[in-house]
Amino acid sequence: MTGRGRPRRADVDEGVLRAAIELLLERGYAGLSPDEVAERAGVAKTTLYRRWPTKDHLAVAVVARLQDDDEITDSGDIRRDLPAYLEKIAAGLNRMRGAGRTGDDPSAGTVAELVAAAARHPDVGALERDVYARRNALAHALLERAVERGELRADLDVEALFDQLTGALYYRVLITGLPVGRAYAERLVDTALRGAAREKE
Amino acid sequence: MTGRGRPRRADVDEGVLRAAIELLLERGYAGLSPDEVAERAGVAKTTLYRRWPTKDHLAVAVVARLQDDDEITDSGDIRRDLPAYLEKIAAGLNRMRGAGRTGDDPSAGTVAELVAAAARHPDVGALERDVYARRNALAHALLERAVERGELRADLDVEALFDQLTGALYYRVLITGLPVGRAYAERLVDTALRGAAREKE
Amino acid sequence: MTGRGRPRRADVDEGVLRAAIELLLERGYAGLSPDEVAERAGVAKTTLYRRWPTKDHLAVAVVARLQDDDEITDSGDIRRDLPAYLEKIAAGLNRMRGAGRTGDDPSAGTVAELVAAAARHPDVGALERDVYARRNALAHALLERAVERGELRADLDVEALFDQLTGALYYRVLITGLPVGRAYAERLVDTALRGAAREKE
Amino acid sequence: MTGRGRPRRADVDEGVLRAAIELLLERGYAGLSPDEVAERAGVAKTTLYRRWPTKDHLAVAVVARLQDDDEITDSGDIRRDLPAYLEKIAAGLNRMRGAGRTGDDPSAGTVAELVAAAARHPDVGALERDVYARRNALAHALLERAVERGELRADLDVEALFDQLTGALYYRVLITGLPVGRAYAERLVDTALRGAAREKE
DNA sequence: AGCTAATCGAGACGGTACGTCTAGTCTTAAA
DNA sequence: TTTAAGACTAGACGTACCGTCTCGATTAGCT
């Protein structure tokens, strides 16, 4: 077998992503310029574009990186774990909320920009959905274990429940512009677990 | 004194908005180019910019126009009205989903772009939040009447419930990319009303 | 008739060409960067590209400008006017010779680059040939008047003669790399007028 | 001691030059991309660059190869040999004229590119001038023999004459864009030998 | 046979110029 | 003062190209 060519530098991904995260948080999506990312990472633009063919690809890679750092803990008490998990998601959103802000705009434009970026390219969208699928799978498992333990209803629509909880956070951040935090997470969990219908006496 | 000089053409707003809606649905947010909107509407760019100082302003105006067509019905049975209302929202989202799509990308990038657009300008954001606030107020009222009628719990966190229902739709469309429709709306309402916790025996 | 839009700024051509000439002479063809020309001229890049769609177009415009400054004088004595004219051409070539030189390279790369630039685009090539055609027409006229006056042979091949004289200058500058100046111009004229064949006695 | 390490493959030079000639004639100077030359020759870029440190070096090597095939014949009749020689040069130029042409551009950009290439690197320039010097030496010798034989004036400025003849060809091809061939060569020789001045009666 | 040193193949990398694209402003003449 | 038309500003973005570097795999001569 002949040589396979010069191998890719392993530290490039690391350095570029770090620089990109920095820039994204500093200046928001508009400020995430490939030129400057490359410069900060000490890498040629061509190298950057070889791995992320578009600014959007890079941006979504950043999200994936940030997302994958999140973990989930299962204490056996769903009423404790669920708010904790939601709070983590909220923290991520809040972090984006501060990104590149100049005034006092309460909405999280950067999150929206990233979703939009993903949607602009079929391949990126697929990648992004994978990232979220990984996260969601963990949460689904958490909920199912609670079902098995008898903490939650046996015929629970786990997917619907999870969408409701997470979705509420996103909706509030993206659309309503209201704050999300521990307190809100607990309200959500409480409302979802108890149910809205008047209890049968 | 006002009323000096040539008066504004009255039909411009209408024509431009129509052209903008067309373009937005045809080609998505990126395809909504001010130049082309102006051309389609048979109007000079100057004229357009005098009324909407930014592409983003125009875009949100388009959404407002689309949104305000939605109505809400109160039959007195919350288990019927709620899914109907969610379905309307879903229909709006699905419409955006088709905007400017070439392949089979399931996500609704255009919605995200619009949110991002709103976040880029404080006034646009405020305007957009108003649009949503109007819609939400109707839904809140609907829910509160159901509480008063005794269909829903007296101590219900109406805001949290509403966020969960609507948020789930947005989350699914924006992030997960899965379909939303009548069936999903019913799953949501069912899950939310019954509650996730195991029923006390 | 409706308005014809904002007219082109008249001073742009002037400013850009001046900046381009400066840069070309300072740093040679490679240093003639559209970005920098635009900056020096205080003009946006798009404006520049609207008029010269390519760096090559710009470069050739520069040559045209330089060339058209040359004039031709007709004193009635062809043995005086011809060397003078050739000297002017030589001066232009020598000016280019200094352009962007770092070391002691004797050849006139910039001239060659400009010819190459013209050849890369059919439209530019045509334009450039026009420029030269103008110059050549003047010289041809000069020679023909000398024929009429009886200074030159009645059956002279004016075109061939002119090509020989001018061509020798270009050849020397481009290929041989030897100096061209007044003395050389006179050698050329002398050789050409007397003829190479042994005189019939 | 030399001779250590793996020896260079002997057939590389040949193959690369052949590929380079092909490409140059097919697509002109711009199409002479080192990457593609290497690929066509079945050679790694490294290998290519070890021998020709620059695309320009390679290009000039190609020209040298093409040029050195030219020969010169001395029949003893300068009025026959000179046009023949010029025709050969013209043939070389015309060959370049076709290089990389798409439309009907009459100028020989490739020749200019090569001159420019030579001017970009002192060593390449020197090399190229050597190539031309060899050719010119032959022509000079031819002319001097004609002087000795009494066919040409004893005090002839051989250099000037040669520059005029060859230069006219280059000027026509590079600048004017007009055709060069046998007929033109004869016009040149005729004009140069007879002289332009009116013959003394 | 093993060691040494240079070449080869493949392809990533660096650097930089070039041209495109898009949003929004400005300048005319006409209405 | 608005409208139409279109030139203008500003800057990000991605591409193209050349030449360098880094691997692993060869291929010789020397010991």
Side-chain angles (χ1 to χ4, degrees), chain D residues 69-89 134-135 137-146 149 151 182:
Chain D
D69 294 348
D70 283 4
E71 287 177 7
I72 195 167
T73 59
D74 187 344
S75 72
D77 179 358
I78 195 67
R79 292 204 78 114
R80 239 171 58 196
D81 294 342
L82 218 38
Y85 178 61
L86 292 181
E87 200 185 0
K88 264 183 200 156
I89 296 182
R134 268 205 302 284
R135 185 173 81 177
L138 296 177
H140 282 182
L142 182 75
L143 290 171
E144 266 150 19
R145 282 193 298 274
R149 279 197 308 269
E151 283 191 282
R182 179 75 193 185

Side-chain angles (χ1 to χ4, degrees), chain A residues 122-141:
Chain A
D123 58 333
V124 181
L127 191 149
E128 199 215 34
R129 278 190 294 280
D130 277 3
V131 172
Y132 280 95
R134 270 204 300 284
R135 184 173 82 176
N136 295 359
L138 295 178
H140 283 184

Side-chain angles (χ1 to χ4, degrees), chain B residues 48-199:
Chain B
L48 190 158
Y49 273 103
R50 190 170 295 115
R51 299 169 198 225
W52 297 277
T54 281
K55 163 173 170 172
D56 288 337
H57 287 77
L58 176 59
V60 172
V62 166
V63 181
R65 158 72 60 103
L66 289 176
Q67 191 108 275
D68 280 352
D69 294 348
D70 283 4
E71 287 178 8
I72 196 167
T73 59
D74 187 345
S75 72
D77 178 356
I78 196 67
R79 292 203 78 113
R80 238 172 57 197
D81 294 343
L82 218 39
Y85 178 60
L86 294 180
E87 201 186 359
K88 266 184 198 150
I89 297 180
L93 290 172
N94 282 326
R95 177 139 67 138
M96 285 298 166
R97 227 172 192 166
R101 196 74 54 63
T102 57
D104 55 338
D105 179 354
S107 134
T110 303
V111 176
E113 302 271 16
L114 290 165
V115 175
R120 280 190 284 258
H121 319 268
D123 58 333
V124 180
L127 193 149
E128 202 208 38
R129 275 190 295 281
D130 275 3
V131 172
Y132 280 97
R134 269 203 302 284
R135 186 173 79 177
N136 295 359
L138 295 178
H140 282 183
L142 183 73
L143 290 171
E144 265 151 21
R145 283 194 296 274
V147 169
E148 283 163 19
R149 280 198 307 268
E151 283 191 281
L152 300 179
R153 281 198 291 110
D155 62 344
L156 177 65
D157 185 337
V158 167
E159 190 185 35
L161 176 62
F162 176 75
D163 286 359
Q164 284 179 352
L165 293 172
T166 318
L169 292 179
Y170 275 84
Y171 185 72
R172 210 157 215 256
V173 166
L174 288 176
I175 311 289
T176 315
L178 296 175
V180 295
R182 180 76 193 183
Y184 184 66
E186 283 175 353
R187 283 170 64 194
L188 286 177
V189 171
D190 198 58
T191 306
L193 292 195
R194 289 178 61 195
R198 191 178 59 167
E199 293 155 26

Side-chain angles (χ1 to χ4, degrees), chain C residues 5-6 9 44 46-47 50-51:
Chain C
R6 174 174 177 176
R9 270 179 54 194
T46 33
T47 299
R50 187 172 303 113
R51 306 180 185 214

Side-chain angles (χ1 to χ4, degrees), chain A residues 8-21 32-35 37-39 41-65 121 123-124 127 131:
Chain A
R8 290 201 173 179
R9 271 179 54 191
D11 51 331
V12 164
D13 287 68
E14 184 62 25
V16 168
L17 283 180
R18 185 163 35 236
I21 290 174
L32 183 72
S33 118
D35 268 66
V37 171
E39 193 192 327
V43 151
K45 229 193 336 174
T46 36
T47 300
L48 191 156
Y49 274 102
R50 187 173 302 113
R51 304 182 187 214
W52 300 277
T54 283
K55 165 174 169 171
D56 288 336
H57 287 75
L58 176 59
V60 172
V62 166
V63 179
R65 158 67 59 102
H121 317 267
D123 58 333
V124 181
L127 191 149
V131 172

Side-chain angles (χ1 to χ4, degrees), chain D residues 5-6 8-9 43-47 50-51:
Chain D
R6 174 174 176 174
R8 291 196 176 177
R9 270 179 54 194
V43 152
K45 244 198 316 179
T46 327
T47 305
R50 191 171 295 113
R51 302 172 196 224

